[in-house]
Amino acid sequence: MFLKRGIFFFTRTKKEMVRHAKKWVELFEKVIGRKPSPEEFQAGKESGFDFKQIKTIAGGLVDSEKVVEEKIKVTIPEETDSGLVSKQWAEDFERTYGRKPSPEEFLQAKVQGFVLEDSMGKLESTTPMSSTEILVSSSDSDKAHKKTKKLSKKKLIFSILFVLLALSLGATYFYFQRTTGIEVTAKEFVAEVDKKDYRQVAERLSTDTDKWTKEDAKLFVSHLEEQGIDVKVALDQVLESATQEPVKDQAGNLLLGLEKTGKLFGIFSQYRVVAYPIQVQVETNLNEAKLTTANNKVVALKKDAKTDLGAFHFINRELTLEAKTDVGTVSTKLQIDPRQAQNNQLLLKLNSEKENWKSNFQNKW
């Protein structure tokens, strides 16, 4: 019966129903001079809260007001058959909701045949409430809906950001895997040598304290080729070695290798190509001898002792020697020849020797 009478409400939204009910209650109070009783509110609801029915509803229930009040005051009527049903319903209600039913809930349940679930479900929608209670209920529902919607939106945003971050990190990891590492370093150096890009080779061999020129790089590659060393094959052997042992020549000189320099972001290992130098010493019996290197560095030589000149690139290098002799100051050019080095050590001996010249003169007279 309730559904048939309540079809009107399903054509309106929840908010419209609340506003219309509120206006009906306010108008009832103005016209009749009091608030509607629960029965009047229920009758108004069944009429679709028709404003024209207010006086009819109020007038029709005046005579039975006392009877209604008496019924409301009765909490659980004791009857024979129906009394047992109502008592059982009241006990079920109290167990379920943790309180005793109100008079309005009892009357509503009675109309519905004391069915607990139906009566409570209908009661929540049919029991008259004040306009303030109706608005609060609607407001709370709207707030809960908005809060849920807001949380869902935040969750979606965080999910999208997480996916984008994961993709970014994956792309970064893939990029540095392709651009760092010992294999990548070796491959790039071989490609530069094959293209005879000696400027790039020099830049790769240079460090903060040891700078290579384009000409130095060209001479170094030429020396490797003269020794029958193929750069690609040699570096492949370094990669295959468990300890990445450097390339050596037959005299035991370390020539070329791959050296770890650190880690990028603490994850990606970085390497550089290393060209090992020659340690040069000079031994001489000349007085006040001095050598001038290619970079115009002048080194005074000790007489009858060894003098360390330092480290030189494993290439031919020209030096200028000046010294005093019995015939005066002499100056000459010397060559550092890496082919004479052993175990990356080279000793130059610069000694003067006296030679006696004999000549026979024949008398033609």
Side-chain angles (χ1 to χ4, degrees), residues 195-206:
K195 292 187 296 184
K196 300 185 183 303
D197 187 357
Y198 297 116
R199 188 180 302 279
Q200 186 61 37
V201 171
E203 183 176 339
R204 190 174 293 277
L205 295 175
S206 296

Side-chain angles (χ1 to χ4, degrees), residues 267-365:
I267 301 174
F268 307 99
S269 296
Q270 293 182 299
Y271 292 81
R272 73 180 187 91
V273 180
V274 181
Y276 295 93
I278 309 173
Q279 297 293 331
V280 180
Q281 290 182 319
V282 178
E283 186 178 63
T284 183
N285 62 357
L286 298 173
N287 294 317
E288 299 180 21
K290 58 182 179 180
L291 282 174
T292 303
T293 63
N295 56 2
N296 294 322
K297 179 182 177 181
V298 179
V299 180
L301 303 180
K302 300 174 184 179
K303 183 178 180 181
D304 297 326
K306 292 180 181 179
T307 303
D308 289 326
L309 294 186
F312 289 80
H313 295 161
F314 216 98
I315 58 175
N316 286 311
R317 180 72 67 185
E318 187 177 78
L319 304 175
T320 301
L321 171 67
E322 291 184 3
K324 290 184 177 181
T325 66
D326 294 340
V327 295
T329 301
V330 296
S331 178
T332 186
K333 300 291 184 182
L334 301 175
Q335 291 286 334
I336 294 178
D337 188 353
R339 292 174 297 180
Q340 297 176 356
Q342 287 188 344
N343 300 319
N344 296 83
Q345 301 288 330
L346 178 63
L347 177 62
L348 297 177
K349 291 185 177 183
L350 308 175
N351 296 323
S352 64
E353 295 180 359
K354 292 182 180 180
E355 292 185 359
N356 295 322
W357 293 82
K358 294 181 179 181
S359 297
N360 293 322
F361 294 95
Q362 294 181 356
N363 189 354
K364 296 181 179 182
W365 294 278

